[in-house]
Amino acid sequence: MSIIRNSILAITMVSGAAWGQVSVTIDPAKPGPVINKNVYGQFAEHLGTGIYEGMWVGPDSKQPNTKGWRNDVLGALKELKVPLVRWPGGCFADEYHWREGIGPRGERPVKVNTMWGGVAETNAVGTHEFFDLAELLGADTYVNGNLGTGSNQEMAEWMEYMTSDTKSTLAELRRKNGRDKPFKVDFFAVGNEAWGCGGDMTPAHYTNLYKTAASFIKAPHGARPKFIASGGNDHDSKWTETLSREVKNNMDGISFHYYTIPTGKWDVKGAATGFPETEWISTMKNTLAIDGMIRSNVKILDKNDPTKKVGFMVDEWGTWYDVEKGTNAGFLYQQNSLRDAVVAALNFNIFHAHAERVRMTNIAQMVNVLQAMILTDKDKMLLTPTYHAYRMYVPFQDATSLPVSIKGNVNYSLGKVSVPQVSASAARGKDGKMYLALVNTNPNKDVDVTVNVAGGAAKAAQGSVLTAPAMDAHNTFAAPDNVKPAAFSAQAAGGKLSVKVPAKGVVVVNVE
Ligand code: AHR
């Protein structure tokens, strides 16, 4: 048995082992790194109905709102204790000009969103509206700068506009636009996906541009955000290698993007619902692949940044399916099923395992886009299974990770594809309680897990479980509670808990 921190992958797997042999041991005497709350960060881009309609209706709308933001959506998001929101993109960020999004809304230029759907972008949501949203949610802010069609001067002036408390012309313009005190910018990224939509660059070219930009984008003492460089994706770790070797100043994190695509092919990705079991298991496998990607990037960081100054920020991740029939292909609108909740939970467990370097992640995206928390249809709203997974994992925000070992894990297999059936993660919450998350990747079989607490005795466990009869069970506007968590408890005997994790299920409990 290998002892690891909260990971599914370095475990001993016994293919075909008898039922009841999976045992999980938590070691509370060896606390690991804190799971930064920003691992549960969100992403809202000017894309489809992700912002307009999905969240923003404007202050004059009949839809109940606060400062233009939908009250129903705000209320639901507050339950998730959203720690951080990334905005305005994504690919959109490299075409966004901040000056077009300030001042009276009726006077802002209407542009074409050439990145997403070719629709009119009214600029109704700009800097002030974004910070309103963050303040209403109590979330930290992650602003993505425009390196593509912008300039260092434009980014520097945006930073001054947001953060200066002087009488400078830009600070006074911010005041004229209704904001006296500076905004709090927690993170600032220089460009996005520089390898692709952000300019089709090489790592070396971007690295030089980053160093220059980060030198000139200034903020007052004590107000400088953490600076994020645009990194690589998938199996490409060249970006981490070049950036961490060459950038010695002004870089707090390197971003990384990875999307789970059931088929692994961008042209036909697979459907969000009505998929075969082969696409269930391939989705599990493709999700778990992020563990290896993080490992190889962290290895590079450990070599080039031994003092661990630089975080590995997975600022885009999640499922990406074929868009729903009849929707604008540029809107990336997809249904969200129980499979997405299991994918989210597997990712969380992996992120916890790498908490030392993975200090921020942002699921793509918050509302109506890709693996969303919330779907809306005009004034209606529903919570997705992914939302419920986030809600269940709230106690892991800023919790201290605890080592977990899994013995006798079994494989769930279909054809030539196999994945470990059980994933586990444990932490000591900020409330002092011990939390355990268990995921069963097998859509057909429950799994009995014995839970031990090293050096102590478990008495009972209380929490919630998320599962449903069908692999693609999902919520609709007609049946919004089709998939939702239920109360869950487990009893102990002889100091060990017996936890039955249902097929395709996620369990999060407080272990007493
Ligand atoms: O999340 C959708 C898009 O995916 C983002 O705009 C881009 O950064 C990525 O390719």
Side-chain angles (χ1 to χ4, degrees):
M1 181 176 65
S2 54
I3 302 289
I4 50 161
R5 295 204 190 280
N6 304 321
S7 180
I8 190 174
L9 295 173
I11 51 187
T12 308
M13 287 177 285
V14 184
S15 194
W19 258 183
Q21 289 187 340
V22 182
S23 79
V24 164
T25 301
I26 309 168
D27 192 346
K30 296 187 182 130
V34 168
I35 299 162
N36 195 307
K37 67 180 170 44
N38 291 334
V39 162
Y40 289 87
Q42 301 274 339
F43 173 31
E45 180 167 15
H46 289 240
L47 196 176
T49 54
I51 290 182
Y52 300 116
E53 181 183 321
M55 285 195 281
W56 170 266
V57 286
D60 301 329
S61 170
K62 286 201 186 97
Q63 177 96 16
N65 69 82
T66 306
K67 296 185 171 179
W69 297 99
R70 290 174 68 141
N71 286 350
D72 54 350
V73 172
L74 285 176
L77 291 173
K78 277 188 199 160
E79 296 289 315
L80 299 186
K81 303 203 182 311
V82 173
L84 171 81
V85 184
R86 175 178 183 235
W87 172 86
C91 296
F92 181 81
D94 279 301
E95 298 188 359
Y96 181 66
H97 300 285
W98 69 272
R99 285 175 195 272
E100 296 173 349
I102 56 170
R105 274 187 288 275
E107 294 170 21
R108 298 182 191 174
V110 177
K111 305 279 291 273
V112 177
N113 187 336
T114 54
M115 201 53 241
W116 300 116
V119 293
E121 162 60 56
T122 62
N123 277 304
V125 170
T127 303
H128 291 252
E129 291 79 12
F130 167 66
F131 281 93
D132 281 346
L133 172 68
E135 286 171 7
L136 289 166
L137 292 176
D140 286 355
T141 57
Y142 179 7
V143 175
N144 208 119
N146 178 350
L147 180 72
T149 61
S151 64
N152 292 343
Q153 182 175 355
E154 187 179 346
M155 285 189 279
E157 288 178 352
W158 195 8
M159 188 64 77
E160 179 184 330
Y161 181 86
M162 293 187 285
T163 61
S164 175
D165 206 10
T166 67
K167 295 281 179 200
S168 79
T169 302
L170 283 171
E172 290 291 72
L173 181 59
R174 184 193 68 234
R175 293 191 184 97
K176 184 169 156 244
N177 288 331
R179 175 72 179 208
D180 181 21
K181 288 283 151 218
F183 294 118
K184 187 165 168 285
V185 186
D186 295 289
F187 295 89
F188 187 86
V190 177
N192 167 73
E193 292 194 351
W195 45 265
C197 67
D200 203 4
M201 302 178 202
T202 61
H205 182 62
Y206 172 79
T207 298
N208 285 332
L209 293 183
Y210 177 85
K211 289 203 283 190
T212 311
S215 308
F216 291 109
I217 305 169
K218 296 174 186 166
H221 183 69
R224 186 171 173 82
K226 288 193 162 58
F227 268 61
I228 311 298
S230 173
N233 69 327
D234 300 356
H235 292 282
D236 184 357
S237 49
K238 285 192 304 294
W239 290 76
T240 301
E241 173 65 55
T242 310
L243 283 160
S244 61
R245 191 184 59 234
E246 302 296 331
V247 185
K248 297 297 168 211
N249 300 306
N250 298 320
M251 185 175 73
D252 302 285
I254 297 174
S255 84
F256 178 77
H257 294 177
Y258 177 64
Y259 286 96
T260 296
I261 299 169
T263 61
K265 296 184 188 128
W266 281 98
D267 49 346
V268 185
K269 296 181 264 302
T273 55
F275 49 81
E277 190 180 336
T278 47
E279 286 185 19
W280 169 281
I281 194 167
S282 62
T283 302
M284 299 297 122
K285 196 170 177 67
N286 294 347
T287 296
L288 294 169
I290 198 173
D291 185 76
M293 298 172 197
I294 296 174
R295 274 174 205 281
S296 40
N297 281 278
V298 167
K299 201 169 161 197
I300 293 166
L301 286 173
D302 286 348
K303 173 182 60 135
N304 292 344
D305 172 40
T307 59
K308 301 188 193 296
K309 200 166 69 71
V310 178
F312 189 63
M313 315 308 212
V314 186
D315 65 9
E316 283 184 33
W317 66 272
T319 54
W320 194 322
Y321 306 128
D322 297 328
V323 296
E324 296 298 329
K325 286 200 176 64
T327 64
N328 184 328
F331 281 15
L332 310 186
Y333 179 83
Q334 62 190 38
Q335 207 9 301
N336 189 295
S337 75
L338 177 64
R339 178 176 62 169
D340 294 83
V342 173
V343 165
L346 289 175
N347 274 294
F348 298 154
N349 290 357
I350 292 168
F351 297 150
H352 297 173
H354 298 286
E356 189 172 64
R357 283 283 185 185
V358 178
R359 300 169 195 165
M360 176 217 285
T361 90
N362 306 77
I363 191 168
Q365 299 190 5
M366 196 141 69
V367 179
N368 287 342
V369 176
L370 299 176
Q371 191 178 346
M373 309 299 109
I374 290 173
L375 299 179
T376 65
D377 180 13
K378 302 195 177 64
D379 60 342
K380 295 196 281 285
M381 173 193 97
L382 65 79
L383 307 177
T384 66
T386 298
Y387 174 95
H388 293 305
Y390 268 80
R391 178 105 197 258
M392 289 166 73
Y393 273 76
V394 164
F396 285 91
Q397 290 191 22
D398 278 341
T400 302
S401 58
L402 297 175
V404 165
S405 60
I406 307 180
K407 197 174 174 188
N409 205 352
V410 284
N411 269 348
Y412 152 54
S413 307
L414 184 68
K416 291 186 179 152
V417 187
S418 277
V419 292
Q421 185 171 0
V422 176
S423 161
S425 182
R428 175 81 63 194
K430 281 196 303 180
D431 57 7
K433 296 179 181 170
M434 188 167 20
Y435 290 94
L436 172 67
L438 294 167
V439 183
N440 180 355
T441 59
N442 190 321
N444 307 310
K445 287 182 177 159
D446 302 345
V447 59
D448 291 309
V449 178
T450 304
V451 178
N452 308 281
V453 177
K459 294 194 202 77
Q462 319 285 342
S464 53
V465 60
L466 188 67
T467 189
M471 289 184 295
D472 68 343
H474 56 277
N475 295 331
T476 62
F477 296 104
D481 290 330
N482 211 18
V483 185
K484 64 173 186 183
F488 184 91
S489 61
Q491 298 309 315
K496 296 176 181 194
L497 286 171
S498 296
V499 181
K500 187 181 281 296
V501 188
K504 49 185 159 16
V506 179
V507 166
V508 177
V509 284
N510 157 220
V511 179
E512 293 161 16

